[in-house]
Amino acid sequence: MKLLEQLLPLPEFHIEEATEILTNAFRREIQKTGLGRVVVGVSGGIDSALTLMIAAKALGPQNVFAFYIPYRTSSPDSLKHGKEVVAVAGVAAEEISIADMADAYFAEQKDISPLRMGNIMARLRMIVLYDQSARMDALVAGTSNKTESLLGYSTLWGDMASAVNPIGDLYKHQVRLLSAHFGVPDSILQKAPSADLWEGQSDEQEIGLTYDLMDRVLFHLLERGLSVPEVETLLSGAGEKPETASFLWKRIARNQFKRKMPVLIKISDVTIDREFRYPRDWGL
Amino acid sequence: MKAALIPFTPVLGDVSGNINRLAEAAEKTEGDILLFPELAASGYLLERLVRDAAVSPKDSLWDPIRQISRTKEIVIGAAVRQSHCYYNASLVFSAGELVFLHKKIYLPTYGMFDEARYFCSGESLPVYNGVLGKTGILICEDAWHPALAYAVYAAGAEHVLVPSASPARGFSQERTGILSSRKSWKNRLEVYAESFAQQYHYVNLNTVEDGVTFGGESFTVLPGGGLREESPGDPFIYDIIAEDFSRAAQRGGPWQDEQFQLNSRLFNDADISRREKEKP
């Protein structure tokens, strides 16, 4: 066993029990709103593939609607892989391009950066999904995993937006394990994770770390409650760069705003979400 | 004598609707004693909803339950308001009346829990004489404090009811599975039943609130040890067998040489003031 696996072990993942909890809780959360149906934006990647499979198992394929929402630069493989998982899930699917919508805006924005373009695409996809959810009397199912939410590798009010997210408490390695269990096609399981905002983009290259290493560090910082210096010592022992721990911890902190509702300037005695604390499932 | 553990599914905050559904479940479930989970009448993740969800134990909302309790003892978890406080309580109805009320003592306010923010703490742990005989109630976190399990034992309870709202969670390396919460409960109550030769009865809420699963587990631990359970979510109806107690007596165990006076003195002698200062 590699030193890294020894020093920063990941927990055994009980796939059967996780499947039971995720599908049961997802079904109940959707059904108790009275709607019972969801839309899922299918990118061709592993996260949305797993959400789609969980949704189909939880609600029945007839209550799940997949949407391919490509831009001109989206890889042709993305659509191909999306169609493969849609076929496995047995759900209805539609393609809605955001190319014209996006280009109309891009044409007016001189020197727009790839990052801004990527965020526009993510938010246009959100607009499409929320509108289609209204058309279908459905809710939007989320597709952001825990690793990317913690690191802020996602677009606020874009791909992070959803009503219920079945994979939001799963680290990337758990997404992979569950996806294999759910029968997500190999073409999706094997390929390098990518936001697919431009050609050849890769999550791991962009962040500069492998998901395996990121998950190990995040798990020890969060679930095991180790301090950054403690994780640094473990990383050194495993022959890894110790500064990875503080790099990731700072990144978690810097992206906290993406995981919260906007800041409200307090002036009253009962401020929303501060004293006015009510569950989301109020009356459900 | 039959007991029934009913993993109830409340609508969060809808107390009158929940009490009607509790009455329906109580009506159709056979058993001389029916145990519903913690906060079954309101749901668990109340936060400020406790203001709307708390009811007085004397409220007429309980009338259908009182009515059904003419033929069976019914134990229900509810948020109750008394004087200036809300309590996380278990209400025992029998012979058409409220006969006992236990207020949860330990209100967890760590991890995902925030109970002490919304509830006041109970300060006594009496046992009552019910259809099972001397019966104690430990509401969820109360059972995680062995001193309380010991207290209901010392008070003479033969049966202990544990209504619970236990969230399914836990990936930790040292435990055995994703549902370490499930396993911990069984281990814990088995130890008590083994040490004290009491029968334990456990039931969890069967619901999902804000993404948190309360898994609907139900099980009983026989006096002196031995676990019987139902699949999660289903009512568990079982016979209470007097021989289970006599068998424990025949087999013998640590309960035989329990020295209550000595234990009491040992507690008094322990320098508790020092421990209070050491608390994190």
Side-chain angles (χ1 to χ4, degrees), chain A residues 9-14 17-18 20-21 24-26 28-29 32 146 169-171 174 219 223-224 270 274-284, chain B residues 9-14 45-49 51-52 114 117-118 168 171-174 176-179 182 206-214 232:
Chain A
L10 289 172
E12 195 182 337
F13 190 54
H14 292 246
E17 281 187 305
E20 173 204 323
I21 299 256
N24 175 61
F26 187 73
R28 290 168 94 154
E29 286 290 4
K32 69 181 171 175
K146 187 172 185 171
D169 201 21
L170 297 175
Y171 289 104
Q174 293 165 333
F219 177 77
E223 259 79 3
R224 304 198 73 188
V270 183
R274 197 158 296 286
E275 294 85 2
F276 187 82
R277 299 175 190 218
Y278 284 83
R280 171 148 173 153
D281 286 353
W282 186 345
L284 297 179
Chain B
T9 307
V11 171
L12 192 51
D14 176 19
L45 289 178
L46 291 168
E47 301 181 308
R48 248 168 84 117
L49 253 182
R51 295 164 184 226
D52 304 326
D114 207 8
R117 182 182 176 90
Y118 304 101
F171 281 114
S172 68
Q173 190 78 8
E174 295 77 12
T176 52
I178 180 174
L179 289 185
R182 214 173 248 177
N206 176 28
T207 192
V208 179
E209 296 175 350
D210 281 14
V212 180
T213 297
F214 301 84

